[in-house]
Amino acid sequence: MGIAFKTNETFRDDFVYANSPAAIRRFPFPFPEDQYMYSVNIEPHAPGAKGSVFEHPFDIDEHYIGECRERARILDSEPNRCLALPHMMVAQWDTLELIMESLARDYPAHFSLARDGTRWTWKNRLLGIEQAFTFGDATTLSQQPMEYVMRQTQGDWVLMDQRGGNLYMDGGVVTTQADWSLDFDLGMNFVEWHGPVPLAHELGVIDRALAFLLRLRLGAPVRRLNWTMTINPRLDTSPEHYPEWGPDRAKVTPDNAGDLAHLRVELQALFRLPRSNAIGFSIRCYLISIKDLATVPKWAMRMHRVLKTLPDELADYKGLTRYRATVVDWLSRFDDGRELSPGTAPV
Amino acid sequence: MSFDQAIDVRVTDIEAVTPLIKRFTFEALNGDALPAFSGGAHIVVEMSDGERIHRNPYSLIGSPWDNGRYRIAVRRSEGGRGGSRYMHEKVAPGARLRISPPVNLFPLIKTRNKHVLIAGGVGITPFFAHLAELRAMDVPHELHYAVRSREHAAFADELAGMIGDRLRLYCSEEGQRIDFGALLARQPLGTDVYVCGPEGMVEATFAAARAAGWPESHVHAEQFASPPSGEPFEAVLANSGITVQVGAETSLLEAIEAAGVDAPCLCRGGVCGQCALDVIECEGELVHHDHYLSPEERKSNTKLMPCVSRARGGRVVLAL
């Protein structure tokens, strides 16, 4: 184990955030090739290499305390960042059970769960929480079950109800998102909420992904990586707060590009939930400055090539257009044009 | 079901509920609680019967909130392919079986205002868990349960204990029949109907719903059809270099599995689409029994779902 948890991180205003060398080494770099294009790049969410972000279903890392603090701050001031339609209460309990079971099993030094029938006791040593409650009785927790457990989890969570051959976004806790809004998407079906994604509909990616997910099996979760870029290590790039972060994109200069521009990678995992038959979608965000990324020579070269060749529609959709050329220039010093090994490994 | 996620269980209890139906209770062999499930979910039970392996789907009965154990009800079927006879004759308390994790292809639509459940015979099984959910959700619901005679209605007493006068029992020997038209005509807007039972009952429900102008999205069926029989035929598995003979009473999927080829599959009922195979060549014609392929895909003669569909009049070459 031995994670050195940081205690003073912030993801806004003064941006106190950095990745340790160990965190850089385990960063989920998403580009196996020099060019990026969509694919239904789904694989089993099976336990990955020890120490990697894939080792456990829910990854806890050195940023845990700061991220939980950031989530609490947002939920306290903007309650509509956590929403669940009434028929999703069973899925909320499924969520709580899945995450508590996972964390207690995978990080016994930090979390524990004792179950005696429906009388459960949860301990979170990192946040100093000890909570006895009755599983299935929301009045025994200080928040609804999904909010309760998500305040102690890194990454966002979306609940999809499955009915009539479609998936409906009927709940979630979303505070670390790449420019989309749960409040806006709530109640939409899978095809509707993917409406703005360019090219993917024409390629049939959305329909194939939906057909696959409708058959997602209990105990066989799947995952994929998605990516974009963010200026500053800002977790909450929500449309609601666009006026605060949108202008940052005009601040990137040849001198500060390596510090300001961050690669933002989402480890997205999908779980069939047992009692509700809903699907839980975890979106775990990892941020790394381009400067830190460039400490790995292969990643610097590949990032340079991916950004340079990215189709304009995708650059627009991801919001990179204004500063893409500046970051490409900044990275070009690392790229001698040599052939790179396939795959995402650092060497 | 690919059995990569299979769970080993022990039979802890067997109870004769009616002259034809036995209820089996399973617990995990390793002592863990079995995974929680949702109303309408089924498991596939794998039975090693000498050389033959049966894999039959059964609905989980009981409440999704009971942790740990599974219960299924098995109706003995004389004309079938032998899985239910095996369960009735050869499985005793203490026996070990392998099961798949639960899969739900017959869930409640939780956003609706009212739920009408229609069951025939052993088709009552998925509704036990549905009723537990409906009671927890506190939404209007009613159950219409048709049986041959009182002797076959043993589940009705348990159900009456659960839901009281929301149960309406029909004994065909006593001349009682469900009037599907009248039943659906008196439902409020926003009602869904769920039917599980013999084919005639399912068809009658759908016909009545259509006649009353119900949208199809409000009508749901789970049929307990074993794979339809047909003429024997030969299937060539091109990638594996194996030829299998498919008997009249065996499904193509079972023949493939018996040959030791791992074919992806899930529901074994022609619904989920997991097992669909590409057809490279077909001498005769394909006989489709699935509910998954589009009319265009059927006509193209390029896809076949081996869990329920077959070939007739010659051999078929498959990309497997």
Side-chain angles (χ1 to χ4, degrees):
Chain A
M1 200 91 21
I3 305 168
F5 290 95
K6 298 166 187 261
T7 56
N8 62 341
E9 288 190 315
T10 61
F11 299 88
R12 60 180 68 228
D13 304 326
D14 55 347
F15 295 109
V16 179
Y17 177 86
N19 283 293
S20 67
I24 294 173
R25 272 197 305 279
R26 75 196 295 275
F27 191 83
F29 187 72
F31 305 117
E33 295 167 353
D34 288 351
Q35 289 196 13
Y36 171 78
M37 194 48 206
Y38 292 129
S39 55
V40 183
N41 52 338
I42 297 176
E43 60 178 354
H45 192 29
K50 194 165 162 50
S52 76
V53 302
F54 306 117
E55 183 180 3
H56 302 305
F58 293 86
D59 181 45
I60 297 296
D61 69 11
E62 64 186 20
H63 309 297
Y64 177 82
I65 291 167
E67 287 194 29
C68 289
R69 199 177 288 142
E70 169 75 356
R71 166 154 291 145
R73 175 191 166 127
I74 294 172
L75 292 179
D76 288 345
S77 56
E78 299 166 54
N80 65 341
R81 305 291 286 273
C82 167
L83 296 167
L85 295 179
H87 63 275
M88 301 307 280
M89 185 48 89
V90 175
Q92 289 202 42
W93 286 109
D94 277 337
T95 301
L96 176 140
E97 179 181 42
L98 173 68
I99 295 177
M100 286 188 177
E101 288 278 356
S102 298
L103 295 184
R105 178 191 62 227
D106 299 331
Y107 301 92
H110 307 307
F111 306 96
S112 70
L113 179 66
R115 298 172 57 154
D116 173 14
T118 58
R119 296 194 319 192
W120 293 20
T121 303
W122 166 249
K123 286 183 194 160
N124 177 338
R125 294 174 192 91
L126 292 171
L127 299 182
I129 293 170
E130 178 166 348
Q131 173 79 49
F133 65 100
T134 304
F135 185 77
D137 180 355
T139 63
T140 59
L141 286 171
S142 47
Q143 292 104 15
Q144 299 245 302
M146 175 176 67
E147 177 174 351
Y148 181 83
V149 75
M150 289 312 298
R151 279 175 178 258
Q152 303 177 49
T153 307
Q154 289 174 271
D156 286 343
W157 181 255
V158 169
L159 287 175
M160 305 178 196
D161 192 32
Q162 180 163 338
R163 54 182 192 267
N166 214 320
L167 295 168
Y168 293 81
M169 193 185 292
D170 286 347
V173 176
V174 177
T175 67
T176 68
Q177 70 272 54
D179 200 8
W180 70 279
S181 164
L182 174 69
D183 199 16
F184 184 77
D185 285 358
L186 193 76
M188 287 190 191
N189 72 34
F190 194 82
V191 179
E192 289 166 345
W193 86 68
H194 285 104
V197 183
L199 305 178
H201 295 267
E202 293 82 344
L203 294 170
V205 173
I206 305 294
D207 290 342
R208 282 207 302 280
L210 173 60
F212 180 86
L213 291 179
L214 291 173
R215 284 176 252 155
L216 186 66
R217 286 180 293 157
L218 183 63
V222 296
R223 66 173 171 241
R224 66 184 286 258
L225 293 178
N226 198 7
W227 72 280
T228 185
M229 293 183 71
T230 301
I231 303 307
N232 288 317
R234 187 188 293 276
L235 282 173
D236 179 15
T237 50
S238 55
E240 288 87 342
H241 292 279
Y242 183 80
E244 289 153 44
W245 58 266
D248 287 349
R249 296 185 292 189
K251 294 178 188 161
V252 182
T253 66
D255 290 332
N256 68 18
D259 293 303
L260 279 197
H262 286 67
L263 175 61
R264 180 184 191 107
V265 174
E266 291 175 350
L267 168 53
Q268 304 181 340
L270 294 128
F271 303 82
R272 174 70 66 188
L273 301 177
R275 292 179 186 80
S276 58
N277 199 43
I279 289 179
F281 181 29
S282 81
I283 309 156
R284 172 76 159 85
C285 174
Y286 297 86
L287 288 166
I288 189 170
S289 69
I290 293 298
K291 190 161 115 190
D292 281 349
L293 185 84
T295 60
V296 179
K298 176 181 160 186
W299 290 354
M301 285 186 258
R302 177 149 288 152
M303 188 76 213
H304 175 242
R305 296 171 198 181
V306 165
L307 270 187
K308 202 170 172 177
T309 57
L310 189 70
D312 288 341
E313 301 97 311
L314 292 187
D316 273 343
Y317 172 63
K318 291 177 184 291
L320 321 182
T321 304
R322 191 184 269 269
Y323 57 86
R324 165 156 71 149
T326 312
V327 177
V328 169
D329 284 347
W330 194 91
L331 281 166
S332 64
R333 77 191 75 169
F334 299 98
D335 193 353
D336 58 13
R338 80 176 74 163
E339 194 176 327
L340 295 175
S341 58
T344 57
V347 284
Chain B
M1 179 75 221
S2 293
F3 266 69
D4 51 347
Q5 305 272 331
I7 306 167
D8 291 305
V9 294
R10 187 196 313 281
V11 178
T12 56
D13 190 37
I14 302 176
E15 173 197 358
V17 182
T18 76
L20 287 178
I21 297 175
K22 282 186 176 177
R23 176 158 48 195
F24 296 79
T25 303
F26 300 149
E27 287 177 12
L29 205 58
N30 64 7
D32 287 353
L34 288 166
F37 62 96
S38 51
H42 72 265
I43 55 171
V44 176
V45 178
E46 183 181 82
M47 303 156 240
S48 298
D49 183 6
E51 299 246 307
R52 179 134 189 222
I53 292 180
H54 302 287
R55 291 193 177 114
N56 287 16
Y58 295 105
S59 295
L60 290 171
I61 57 183
S63 164
W65 293 84
D66 292 342
N67 249 340
R69 299 176 311 166
Y70 288 165
R71 282 180 298 167
I72 61 168
V74 180
R75 182 185 189 277
R76 184 188 169 103
S77 164
E78 294 305 332
R81 292 157 313 115
S84 70
R85 273 203 309 280
Y86 180 88
M87 288 296 290
H88 271 255
E89 291 169 6
K90 302 202 178 143
V91 174
R96 288 171 55 166
L97 293 166
R98 293 211 316 157
I99 64 170
S100 73
V103 170
N104 197 342
L105 301 173
F106 191 47
L108 290 173
I109 309 297
K110 297 191 190 74
T111 50
R112 305 290 201 240
N113 300 323
K114 183 179 175 185
H115 303 263
V116 174
L117 316 179
I118 302 176
V122 76
I124 190 65
T125 52
F127 293 135
F128 278 90
H130 279 157
L131 289 167
E133 279 187 2
L134 289 166
R135 290 190 328 148
M137 285 156 55
D138 196 22
V139 290
H141 59 277
E142 52 192 67
L143 168 64
H144 299 264
Y145 178 25
V147 294
R148 213 185 301 167
S149 66
R150 295 276 161 192
E151 164 185 54
H152 293 278
F155 281 131
D157 296 336
E158 290 177 33
L159 290 162
M162 276 174 81
I163 61 171
D165 61 4
R166 286 172 159 166
L167 166 68
R168 176 82 196 273
L169 184 68
Y170 306 78
C171 288
S172 59
E173 267 188 11
E174 299 170 23
Q176 297 160 336
R177 294 271 190 283
I178 299 175
D179 182 343
F180 294 94
L183 172 60
L184 296 194
R186 68 168 178 261
Q187 299 305 329
L189 279 177
T191 302
D192 273 33
V193 62
Y194 307 78
V195 57
C196 184
E199 210 174 324
M201 171 178 264
V202 175
E203 282 169 7
T205 304
F206 275 81
R210 260 194 307 276
W214 285 44
E216 271 198 21
S217 56
H218 287 249
V219 190
H220 316 279
E222 167 146 286
Q223 270 181 276
F224 276 111
S226 42
S229 53
E231 293 170 19
F233 64 98
E234 185 176 287
V236 179
L237 312 183
N239 304 345
S240 318
I242 291 177
T243 299
V244 298
Q245 305 297 330
V246 185
E249 294 294 329
T250 308
S251 73
L252 172 55
L253 178 61
E254 289 171 325
I256 291 169
E257 288 171 342
V261 176
D262 190 20
C265 65
L266 184 55
C267 75
R268 308 182 80 88
V271 178
C272 76
Q274 192 88 17
C275 71
L277 293 176
D278 287 324
V279 177
I280 298 169
E281 199 187 312
C282 176
E283 284 176 0
E285 60 172 323
L286 301 178
V287 185
H288 295 285
H289 294 292
D290 67 274
H291 307 280
Y292 180 81
L293 297 177
S294 67
E296 295 75 37
E297 284 174 315
R298 289 176 181 219
K299 248 186 286 171
S300 71
N301 274 343
T302 58
K303 294 265 182 201
L304 185 70
M305 290 181 46
C307 64
V308 290
S309 299
R310 314 175 58 88
R312 180 161 59 201
R315 61 176 206 149
V316 60
V317 183
L318 301 165
L320 181 67

